[in-house]
Amino acid sequence: MPKNYENDFALYEVRDRLLYISYKEGLYIDYAAARLIVDDRLMIQSYQSCAIVCDVSTIHDVAADAREYLATYGCNLAKAVAIYSATHTMRNLAAYFVSINKPMAPTKIFDNLEDAEEFAIEHI
């Protein structure tokens, strides 16, 4: 599994048996972006299951069709997804995503990295 990768949307880093995804600032994620994000995630995972920690703090918005794609195909080979954000607004958007789109992998929202990591580690 490669250790680091970056595309136009995110930085991917494998560390301590977890995949960390940090999204770039001010992003609007549409369907095409969601597909690329998932394709690159699967590549860095070497198509092996793993737990994922996502920092969504700096995302601006996510299109409805992108949320649906992320909740279904985006959960392929994800043992669990820990979403965290320091901002209340993004945690609300993430809560909406979890309650409405119902991701296929166990998914929880956190306001700090440590709790997010703890959740992800429980699913390794």
Side-chain angles (χ1 to χ4, degrees):
M1 209 181 303
K3 296 289 184 196
N4 295 300
Y5 181 77
E6 185 173 355
N7 62 23
D8 291 340
F9 305 101
L11 173 64
Y12 305 77
E13 181 181 6
V14 177
R15 184 169 23 105
D16 301 324
R17 300 181 307 160
L18 298 175
L19 173 59
Y20 291 82
I21 302 174
S22 298
Y23 291 95
K24 294 187 177 176
E25 191 167 346
L27 283 182
Y28 174 73
I29 298 176
D30 61 10
Y31 182 78
R35 288 189 56 148
L36 179 66
I37 289 164
V38 172
D39 288 348
D40 286 351
R41 176 183 64 78
L42 292 170
M43 177 200 58
I44 196 165
Q45 286 177 228
S46 300
Y47 296 89
Q48 297 175 22
S49 294
C50 72
I52 302 165
V53 178
C54 291
D55 180 357
V56 298
S57 299
T58 60
I59 293 175
H60 179 70
D61 199 6
V62 182
D65 56 351
R67 286 193 308 269
E68 188 60 35
Y69 183 84
L70 292 168
T72 54
Y73 297 104
C75 289
N76 287 341
L77 298 177
K79 290 182 178 180
V81 180
I83 300 172
Y84 79 95
S85 175
T87 66
H88 183 70
T89 303
M90 287 316 301
R91 285 194 307 276
N92 283 343
L93 181 61
Y96 180 85
F97 167 71
V98 171
S99 66
I100 300 299
N101 299 106
K102 301 184 184 344
M104 295 175 69
T107 304
K108 248 180 125 172
I109 304 153
F110 301 91
D111 62 3
N112 66 77
L113 176 59
E114 293 77 22
D115 291 343
E117 288 172 325
E118 187 175 307
F119 171 77
I121 288 168
E122 290 172 5
H123 290 87
I124 293 178

